Amino acid sequence: MRAVTIRNVPEEVHRAIRVRAAQNGRTLQAEMCEILATAVKPEGRVKLGDLLAEIGRKVKLTDEEMAVFERDHSPARAASFE
């Protein structure tokens, strides 16, 4: 996991996060990680794969049309520069 240093956090913000961490039974560090994760990955976010699948269902693609989107799960081949 990456380490991040945030400087010049106002005292009232630091205190509020410390209180929030205590209320949630987490360390200050764990609470900050949770705040950041929630900010960049909110629960209600639309995931691209889900969105594309929903579009496919709405337009009622046939199995043949869906086959175009099937992924190849075989291991990737190394690039050759010869």
Side-chain angles (χ1 to χ4, degrees):
M1 193 175 248
R2 301 276 183 218
V4 176
T5 301
I6 302 173
R7 291 180 178 29
N8 302 320
V9 175
E11 182 57 38
E12 60 273 10
V13 172
H14 187 266
R15 186 175 30 251
I17 295 172
R18 195 171 48 234
V19 168
R20 179 176 158 163
Q23 290 172 338
N24 292 321
R26 291 192 272 255
T27 64
L28 183 63
Q29 179 181 343
E31 191 65 30
M32 289 180 173
C33 286
E34 179 63 28
I35 291 168
L36 289 171
T38 302
V40 298
K41 295 173 76 175
E43 270 187 44
R45 78 184 195 277
V46 176
K47 297 178 183 175
L48 181 58
D50 294 339
L51 178 63
L52 293 173
E54 179 63 27
I55 291 169
R57 283 190 291 276
K58 282 183 180 178
V59 298
K60 298 180 181 175
L61 294 177
T62 66
D63 289 341
E64 186 177 293
E65 293 167 327
M66 282 299 292
V68 173
F69 299 106
E70 291 298 318
R71 290 180 27 183
D72 179 6
H73 293 284
S74 62
R77 289 177 282 131
S80 174
F81 298 102
E82 295 177 7

